[in-house]
Amino acid sequence: MARIIVAAAEELLDQEIKVLNHGFVRLVDYLGGDARIVQSARVSYGQGTKSVRQDRALIYFLLSHQHTSPFEQVVLTFHCKMPIFVARQWVRHRTARLNEVSGRYSVMKDEFYVPDPSELRFQDDKNKQGGSGSLPLDEAISIIELMEKDQKAAYKRYESYLEQGVARELARVSLPLSLYTEWYWQIDLNNLFRFLWLRLDSHAQEQIRVYAEALATCAKAVAPMAYDAFEEHMLYAIRFSKTETAAVQRMLGGGEHGLEGRQLQEFEKKLHQISLNSAEST
Ligand SMILES: Cc1cc2nc3c(=O)[nH]c(=O)nc-3n(C[C@H](O)[C@H](O)[C@H](O)COP(=O)(O)OP(=O)(O)OC[C@H]3O[C@@H](n4cnc5c(N)ncnc54)[C@H](O)[C@@H]3O)c2cc1C
């Protein structure tokens, strides 16, 4: 069968989706779409695409039963630009191929991530990886001014090392994590869904979550039925542990959940999510 062309994806090609103050996500190319998932799944039975309704049902069935290999037949290539601290989290997703700008070869650009005052939060007491509650605005503004001052000073120092003839590979060592880097990043749809599932989650850091949202826009354009199935069976699906399932059983029987501490907190978050999901669907 000929190369699959998806009109919505064609429209997105080469468009920069702006993220943070200097970053972006740009869909460079794609291979396949919903039709490729269906074709490759049906090769088991020697049948091609059928009606839209049957194709959708098949895609939902595949994802809900973890039959994920047909989703690996769809591949997306992105050009992305992000602060180094975001790239450090991003690169943990090993099932992708990437090529990053070289700070040994090129002079790094004078571009740094600066948070918005509203993003500066206090360290959360319980969640050691997160923040809670905003800093007072005047305090946030003065901290951001200091951050910018440090960034400018670090970049000036970098330039002075370069002027002294220091090799770029070591002149860069004083540059901070807020410096922007960029790369080409290629991933199949199955592993992109896993990335999105983790990084669209409310536990993910806000500054990578906004990149996940831009990547999600591209995934949705390339394979809209598969993206719907991802929302249905992964993103908005809620999984209960064995202990939580027992608590639900007790509650359905009219009893108390019987949970406390951290377990209760996690359980309440899930119940809250269910109430949000049901409010959205009414
Ligand atoms: C909220 C949050 C907080 C985090 N905090 C930290 C932290 O504090 N410190 C830290 O180090 N990391 C942290 N991480 C990163 C996390 O531990 C994972 O490394 C990251 O999310 C990538 O997930 P993954 O392994 O499923 O993805 P991928 O690497 O893309 O892997 C996808 C799937 O392929 C499998 N796979 C990948 N490579 C191989 C291989 N070579 N052989 C066999 N199977 C393979 C994986 O097991 C997985 O099932 C955090 C992630 C999140 C979302």
Side-chain angles (χ1 to χ4, degrees), residues 7-281:
E10 293 291 313
E11 266 179 45
L12 255 186
L13 284 179
D14 269 338
Q15 307 292 326
E16 277 186 11
I17 304 174
K18 301 278 179 211
V19 189
L20 302 180
N21 56 338
H22 294 294
F24 61 77
V25 164
R26 183 167 68 84
L27 180 65
V28 174
D29 207 355
Y30 66 97
L31 177 73
D34 286 329
R36 177 60 43 76
I37 298 167
V38 166
Q39 284 166 355
S40 69
R42 290 215 170 101
V43 80
S44 322
Y45 320 111
Q47 295 169 330
T49 51
K50 292 187 175 178
S51 71
V52 171
R53 194 174 55 80
Q54 284 169 307
D55 288 353
R56 177 180 288 275
L58 175 60
I59 286 175
Y60 272 58
F61 176 85
L62 293 170
L63 209 64
S64 68
H65 288 81
Q66 302 281 313
H67 183 170
T68 48
S69 50
F71 297 85
E72 291 171 17
Q73 297 293 325
V74 180
V75 178
L76 294 91
T77 303
F78 300 95
H79 179 190
C80 311
K81 185 171 167 186
M82 74 293 279
I84 291 173
F85 71 91
V86 170
R88 289 273 299 146
Q89 296 185 352
W90 196 318
V91 81
R92 299 304 314 279
H93 299 266
R94 297 156 291 172
T95 43
R97 293 156 293 283
L98 69 88
N99 189 57
E100 187 175 7
V101 60
S102 166
R104 297 180 76 190
Y105 188 85
S106 316
V107 173
M108 299 306 286
K109 290 183 196 155
D110 183 10
E111 289 176 329
F112 297 90
Y113 169 68
V114 182
D116 190 76
S118 62
E119 290 172 74
L120 275 193
R121 299 183 297 160
F122 288 108
Q123 175 59 46
D124 193 293
D125 290 340
K126 296 193 185 85
N127 176 4
K128 296 197 167 43
Q129 281 199 330
S132 70
S134 296
L135 260 76
L137 188 62
D138 54 340
E139 225 176 290
I141 289 172
S142 64
I143 288 173
I144 287 166
E145 279 169 4
L146 287 175
M147 285 177 173
E148 287 182 296
K149 214 170 144 197
D150 290 346
Q151 290 166 348
K152 282 198 181 89
Y155 195 81
K156 226 169 155 200
R157 182 72 73 197
Y158 170 62
E159 285 182 310
S160 78
Y161 293 153
L162 293 177
E163 276 160 23
Q164 283 176 261
V166 177
R168 290 184 284 270
E169 65 182 9
L170 283 182
R172 63 181 166 170
V173 298
S174 308
L175 290 172
L177 289 176
S178 54
L179 187 78
Y180 272 83
T181 185
E182 50 189 291
W183 59 38
Y184 265 51
W185 192 67
Q186 189 186 67
I187 191 162
D188 66 64
L189 193 62
N190 176 37
N191 284 296
L192 180 57
F193 282 162
R194 189 169 170 80
F195 178 100
L196 296 177
W197 180 59
L198 291 167
R199 301 300 179 178
L200 288 173
D201 189 89
S202 61
H203 294 93
Q205 186 170 342
E206 165 76 18
Q207 288 74 20
I208 194 166
R209 206 159 60 221
V210 285
Y211 282 94
E213 284 166 8
L215 295 167
T217 300
C218 300
K220 201 171 183 167
V222 170
M225 283 185 202
Y227 192 86
D228 285 350
F230 159 69
E231 285 193 336
E232 175 72 19
H233 294 295
M234 291 177 75
L235 190 60
Y236 297 124
I238 293 167
R239 206 161 20 156
F240 288 111
S241 67
K242 184 179 166 194
T243 305
E244 288 167 342
T245 306
V248 171
Q249 282 164 349
R250 283 194 292 275
M251 286 169 79
L252 288 174
E256 294 291 319
H257 50 67
L259 301 178
E260 53 187 35
R262 181 90 193 205
Q263 277 186 332
L264 177 58
Q265 267 179 28
E266 289 297 321
F267 186 61
E268 282 178 334
K269 263 191 237 161
K270 290 178 187 178
L271 295 185
H272 179 62
Q273 193 57 47
I274 291 172
S275 67
L276 288 180
N277 289 1
S278 60
E280 274 166 23
S281 60

